[in-house]
Amino acid sequence: SHSAQVSIDDVFREVESGAAHYGVVPVENSTEGMVNLTLDCLMTSKLNIIGEIEMPIHHAFMSVADAETITAIYSHEQSLAQCRRWLDRHYPAVPRNAVLSNAEAARVALRTEGAAAIAGEMAADRYGLRVLATNIEDEPDKKTRFLVVGKERIGPSGRDKTSILVSTRNEPGALYGVLEPFHRYGVDLTRIDARPSRSGNWNYVFFIDFDGHQSSEEIKVVLQEVDKVATEVRSLGSYPQAVI
């Protein structure tokens, strides 16, 4: 484990360089959908997904200044979106500024007069800020899903999930061709997301999560079939499903 890095890219670099054994990166939350930067890093990284964690999201409002003297608010854009109603009610006229991470927001709040940050309460302890309000998120039952990334591959646990990256040519029925083998073999897809490809050879890269471990015979057969219709299929790892 390692102290909170400034950005998702940094987490990948730390683990790739061996400075950290594994890293934890957000991959989706139920308010804003997928965290695209994590997906972009997975597209280019050699690291594997070795676990997933689901955690409730609680946001706190923190500053060195008093509540009534706040002149600017800093946070990650997703956190600003998740606390919109509270901010509209309490600080409708104060500018909101999106930064790379909530840790960065806390650092800015510490050294900027009149600045407040929205972050987890732990950030207040770490940066010496006063918590002025807690649980300010609009929908308190929201969860964020994190992926644990590392260099090793994880064997089957009995309740596993596999993530793959599939590139297709831009042609009619391409996605159907990729999904049909899962349907035919009765493998449950738990998530599918499309990202525009960075290279011009094909239009989309699909991130697909499904139940099962890549070492099982059934999954091997499905992936061989997918491989026939896709331009590239890359396993991002099999890992135990998060216990909620």
Side-chain angles (χ1 to χ4, degrees):
S1 73
H2 211 263
S3 65
Q5 293 298 314
V6 174
S7 71
I8 289 169
D9 311 58
D10 288 335
V11 175
F12 276 85
R13 274 196 294 275
E14 289 270 303
V15 182
E16 281 163 355
S17 71
H21 290 301
Y22 57 87
V24 179
V25 289
V27 69
E28 67 179 286
N29 66 53
S30 39
T31 309
E32 307 294 319
M34 298 303 275
V35 178
N36 289 335
L37 187 56
T38 295
L39 298 187
D40 289 342
C41 288
L42 284 168
M43 278 167 73
T44 53
S45 175
K46 295 280 181 279
L47 298 177
N48 302 309
I49 302 168
I50 60 175
E52 65 174 350
I53 304 164
E54 290 194 353
M55 292 172 73
I57 312 159
H58 291 303
H59 290 312
F61 191 72
M62 58 192 71
S63 182
V64 179
D66 292 327
E68 54 281 0
T69 63
I70 303 296
T71 53
I73 296 164
Y74 294 85
S75 196
H76 187 273
E77 60 184 328
Q78 291 194 345
S79 302
L80 291 171
Q82 285 163 353
C83 303
R84 200 175 285 130
R85 266 180 259 157
W86 188 90
L87 289 168
D88 289 349
R89 197 161 61 242
H90 292 89
Y91 293 96
V94 175
R96 300 167 199 178
N97 305 292
V99 290
L100 267 177
S101 68
N102 291 350
E104 178 70 13
R107 280 197 286 274
V108 173
L110 182 61
R111 57 173 191 255
T112 312
E113 197 177 343
I118 294 173
E121 282 188 60
M122 278 168 58
D125 294 343
R126 185 179 290 138
Y127 296 102
L129 298 165
R130 279 192 309 142
V131 174
L132 303 177
T134 55
N135 295 10
I136 65 168
E137 60 278 356
D138 295 342
E139 299 176 44
D141 56 345
K142 293 296 182 202
K143 285 191 168 67
T144 295
R145 179 170 168 236
F146 295 89
L147 295 177
V148 185
V149 292
K151 288 182 175 166
E152 67 261 50
R153 292 218 175 243
I154 302 292
S157 73
R159 274 193 76 238
D160 296 290
K161 189 185 268 189
T162 299
S163 294
I164 60 172
L165 218 162
V166 180
S167 310
T168 61
R169 285 187 193 82
N170 183 27
E171 55 198 26
L175 179 59
Y176 176 78
V178 167
L179 299 183
E180 191 276 329
F182 290 98
H183 180 69
R184 191 164 12 115
Y185 288 94
V187 174
D188 277 342
L189 296 175
T190 53
R191 166 138 223 141
I192 171 156
D193 246 276
R195 291 286 289 145
S197 164
R198 288 189 167 169
S199 72
N201 317 353
W202 50 72
N203 273 24
Y204 281 100
V205 176
F206 295 101
F207 284 85
I208 300 173
D209 291 347
F210 56 88
D211 289 343
H213 195 283
Q214 61 199 4
S215 65
S216 79
E217 290 311 312
E218 175 187 59
I219 300 298
K220 280 183 189 164
V221 172
V222 171
L223 293 182
Q224 279 162 6
E225 300 244 345
V226 173
D227 207 27
K228 288 176 193 164
V229 294
T231 47
E232 187 195 358
V233 179
R234 188 153 70 83
S235 164
L236 298 173
S238 291
Y239 46 92
Q241 289 178 24
V243 180
I244 303 160

